[in-house]
Amino acid sequence: MDIILVIVVTFFAGMGAGLGTGFAGMSAAAVISPMLITFLGMDPYMAVGIALSSDVLASAVSAYTYGKNKNLDIKNGLLMMASVLVFTVVGSYIASRVPPAAMGNFSVFMTFLLGIKFIVRPVMTTKESMQAVSAKKRAVQSVICGVLIGFICGFVGAGGGMMMLLILTTVLGYELKTAVGTSVFIMAFTALTGAISHFVIGELPNAFVWVLCILFTFIWARIAAVFANKAEPKTLNRATGVVLVVLGAVIMIFSFFH
């Protein structure tokens, strides 16, 4: 494996994944996996394992940054996470029982569309209007939405971060920063579960590629999260939208040539 090529590919994969995570709570798997498979010819199962483990630290540092800036709903995030984890397993089981469908592209296309939505129709919900919802209603909504997100993630195999961001902002009416903060908080745990199960079932990946992906994703996620927490809502919507549109378009092009 050419060392220069590995460094270049992992740098750009980590940059795309880190920006997506820090700005939009997006799963690193959506960016890292296609790049490792396309440019380094890596086994898809191993590529997903590397992407998931890169997600763990990147999501954790992003969640810490959002939490420090009081843009994180831990209580409802934990409720949603529990139902996401349970129904991801249910979705995976049902997916294994039905004929394979070309649903992998669904999350990539959704990333692109969601990016356009943030640019054209920004989420301008305020913390005040978000907190006006009763705690009981919010808790019930969190569990129901977690079931839906988990099932779709398990069934489709991707798109968790995007589904979470879409549902938190549109269905639950979260303010954008809190939506991203809560999303990355949940993603840190779901990615950890996914990464461990991947490496237990399969084998440990190439250490050099693995460490570089984790490092670059972590650095860029931290940069994006710090910027996102300081930005005005309108600026953040546009920045998030641009990141999602670019990533969605790039991954679609990769998939087309692969």
Side-chain angles (χ1 to χ4, degrees):
M1 211 181 271
D2 182 1
I3 289 180
I4 304 292
L5 178 66
V6 169
I7 293 170
V8 170
V9 170
T10 53
F11 176 79
F12 283 106
M15 183 167 82
L19 290 174
T21 302
F23 273 122
M26 182 180 168
S27 168
V31 183
I32 292 177
S33 306
M35 287 192 70
L36 295 183
I37 295 163
T38 308
F39 294 111
L40 300 181
M42 191 170 278
D43 169 65
Y45 193 81
M46 195 174 280
V48 171
I50 288 176
L52 285 168
S53 49
S54 301
D55 232 348
V56 178
L57 271 182
S59 295
V61 73
S62 299
Y64 169 76
T65 308
Y66 279 91
K68 207 169 71 171
N69 288 277
K70 297 188 169 48
N71 292 318
L72 172 56
D73 182 359
I74 291 183
K75 194 174 77 176
N76 292 305
L78 286 169
L79 284 173
M80 192 181 286
M81 181 171 66
S83 47
V84 166
L85 289 172
V86 171
F87 277 84
T88 298
V89 176
V90 174
S92 298
Y93 176 75
I94 293 172
S96 71
R97 298 278 168 206
V98 296
M103 291 180 81
N105 294 328
F106 166 75
S107 63
V108 176
F109 189 58
M110 198 171 123
T111 300
F112 186 75
L113 289 182
L114 196 55
I116 292 172
K117 182 221 172 266
F118 280 125
I119 296 169
V120 178
R121 290 193 61 192
V123 176
M124 299 305 282
T125 312
T126 60
K127 280 246 176 87
E128 291 71 40
S129 63
M130 191 186 118
Q131 284 158 357
V133 179
S134 76
K136 190 179 173 185
K137 185 182 176 188
R138 177 71 80 216
V140 172
Q141 286 176 327
S142 298
V143 172
I144 293 169
C145 290
V147 168
L148 183 66
I149 295 162
F151 183 79
I152 290 171
C153 294
F155 194 78
V156 177
M162 288 300 90
M163 284 302 303
M164 236 173 299
L165 189 62
L166 182 66
I167 286 174
L168 286 169
T169 51
T170 55
V171 181
L172 296 181
Y174 271 58
E175 172 258 345
L176 184 59
K177 289 181 188 178
T178 312
V180 176
T182 307
S183 175
V184 287
F185 172 71
I186 297 169
M187 291 289 292
F189 293 96
T190 52
L192 180 63
T193 310
I196 291 169
S197 59
H198 249 73
F199 296 142
V200 168
I201 295 165
E203 55 186 33
L204 288 178
N206 177 299
F208 186 55
V209 177
W210 194 17
V211 169
L212 284 181
C213 280
I214 290 173
L215 185 67
F216 290 137
T217 308
F218 175 83
I219 291 167
W220 285 101
R222 171 75 178 147
I223 292 167
V226 168
F227 174 82
N229 278 281
K230 290 198 169 103
E232 290 295 313
K234 208 160 198 175
T235 310
L236 179 58
N237 271 275
R238 289 208 175 118
T240 305
V242 169
V243 167
L244 293 178
V245 168
V246 171
L247 289 177
V250 169
I251 300 162
M252 277 193 268
I253 292 164
F254 287 159
S255 307
F256 180 74
F257 285 113
H258 182 53

